[in-house]
Amino acid sequence: MLPTLRQLQYLKLLAEHGSFSRAAEAAHVSQPALSAGVQELERILGAPVVERARGAVIMTAVGAEAVRRAEDVLARTEDLVEAAQNAGRPLSGRFRLGVIPTVAPFLLPAKLPSLKTAYPNLKLFIREDLTPRLIAALKAGQIDAAVIALPYEAPGIEHARIGDDEILAAAPADHALAAPGPIRPGSLKSQDLILLEDGHCLRDHALAALDIEAPRGDDVFAATSLHTLIQMVGSGLGVSFLPRMAVQAGLADTPSVVIRPFENQADGVPPHREIVVAWRSGSSRAAEARLLAEALKLDRDR
């Protein structure tokens, strides 16, 4: 005998919620029904998948591996259903799109109206999150595609290009680096920097592109968002990086902040990050993800 999709779904929900009652509620079944399904799955596998402790559910080693494989099976099954329902109608119906926070508020408002016009039957669900969590959601089948920035190592993920987003410097108006002209990377010191918190890929891309070590110590300033970051720069707390798409969207339109480009790198292009639409290898929605990348393409990259 083989496990049923329903049993695998029960196991996945149990791992997510850590409780039989909450998993049953999420599955819209009674707790005894979910418990019986998990027990039958254990009988088929020939090993326990959970340890039932008072007030808690702990996955066994077999259970954790079963969850990992169940997520892939369920994701591919959902892909099959979506592909069948939307056959011959690209970008129609539900499409779950993840977007990183340093892209979402600047790219989407400019592109969604034309996307809606081109694909009127598309029902787009947006999830804004950091790159590692979006990649995990892609692999688990929780989203269909994600707008992320490269470089980023993600085995099992394919992508289509949206365009390059130049990395610019943002300095207080009275700062030495606010003087006219491009900034030499060597003139920017780590101790002068205000950065986004760990986990934001823009932070890592900018530091790597300019060959600057991340500042360390208890007195380092870190912002949770680009909006907070620009306020900190405007208050004179230091210098930071902004993506060009954020500047073009008006994020730095304040007299207290000056935006300056960096000198071109050795390859003749300025520091930048590559924006792409990514999807899980083997996804039946790969063709739609490519169409989405084309629709979201940066104007200067067309």
Side-chain angles (χ1 to χ4, degrees):
M1 290 182 63
L2 295 175
T4 66
L5 292 175
R6 195 64 166 159
Q7 290 164 352
L8 296 179
Q9 184 187 44
Y10 288 165
L11 179 65
K12 179 174 178 285
L13 290 172
L14 191 57
E16 290 174 357
H17 294 277
S19 159
F20 277 90
S21 60
R22 290 194 295 271
E25 183 179 352
H28 305 292
V29 298
S30 67
Q31 184 173 333
L34 185 133
S35 182
V38 172
Q39 288 176 350
E40 178 63 14
L41 176 62
E42 290 179 320
R43 189 185 70 78
I44 293 171
L45 296 179
V49 295
V50 295
E51 295 179 5
R52 298 162 176 81
R54 178 173 295 183
V57 170
I58 303 171
M59 289 288 139
T60 64
V62 170
E65 178 64 15
V67 168
R68 187 183 70 80
R69 292 174 182 265
E71 287 177 340
D72 183 61
V73 170
L74 292 169
R76 292 179 183 275
T77 304
E78 288 180 6
D79 281 348
L80 170 63
V81 174
E82 291 282 353
Q85 291 177 344
N86 299 318
R89 297 181 300 154
L91 286 178
S92 61
R94 182 188 68 167
F95 196 97
R96 302 162 299 176
L97 180 67
V99 191
I100 57 175
T102 57
V103 167
F106 315 114
L107 179 67
L108 296 185
K111 297 297 182 179
L112 288 185
S114 59
L115 182 65
K116 182 63 177 175
T117 299
Y119 302 99
N121 296 320
L122 174 65
K123 295 180 180 178
L124 199 59
F125 294 84
I126 304 294
R127 171 176 169 179
E128 186 175 317
D129 211 336
L130 299 179
T131 305
R133 290 198 283 265
L134 291 181
I135 295 298
L138 274 179
K139 292 184 175 181
Q142 296 168 354
I143 57 176
D144 300 305
V147 178
I148 63 172
L150 302 182
Y152 189 87
E153 275 302 316
I157 299 296
E158 299 177 27
H159 65 267
R161 175 185 171 84
I162 292 177
D164 287 339
D165 188 26
E166 185 179 355
I167 296 172
L168 303 169
D174 59 355
H175 196 281
L177 292 180
I183 295 175
R184 295 178 57 194
S187 62
L188 190 57
K189 306 301 181 184
S190 61
Q191 58 266 30
D192 297 328
L193 288 175
I194 309 170
L195 298 171
L196 290 170
E197 289 182 330
D198 283 335
H200 288 273
C201 55
L202 175 64
R203 166 195 175 108
D204 298 328
H205 291 157
L207 292 173
L210 296 166
D211 195 22
I212 301 174
E213 285 192 16
R216 295 184 175 88
D218 297 333
D219 297 329
V220 172
F221 289 107
T224 57
S225 70
L226 287 178
H227 291 82
T228 303
L229 190 69
I230 206 67
Q231 291 175 355
M232 296 169 75
V233 172
S235 298
L237 296 179
V239 179
S240 193
F241 309 110
L242 282 184
R244 179 173 287 280
M245 65 170 58
V247 175
Q248 291 177 331
L251 181 64
D253 287 353
T254 170
S256 60
V257 175
V258 173
I259 302 300
R260 289 286 179 261
F262 288 99
E263 287 185 349
N264 288 352
Q265 299 169 297
D267 57 4
V269 298
H272 65 277
R273 57 182 184 163
E274 184 183 9
I275 310 300
V276 302
V277 172
W279 62 89
R280 186 180 66 259
S281 297
S283 171
S284 64
R285 311 208 75 173
E288 292 177 286
R290 292 184 187 277
L291 286 175
L292 190 62
E294 189 62 32
L296 296 176
K297 197 156 261 190
L298 299 179
D299 293 336
R300 59 186 175 277
D301 209 69
R302 288 188 182 277

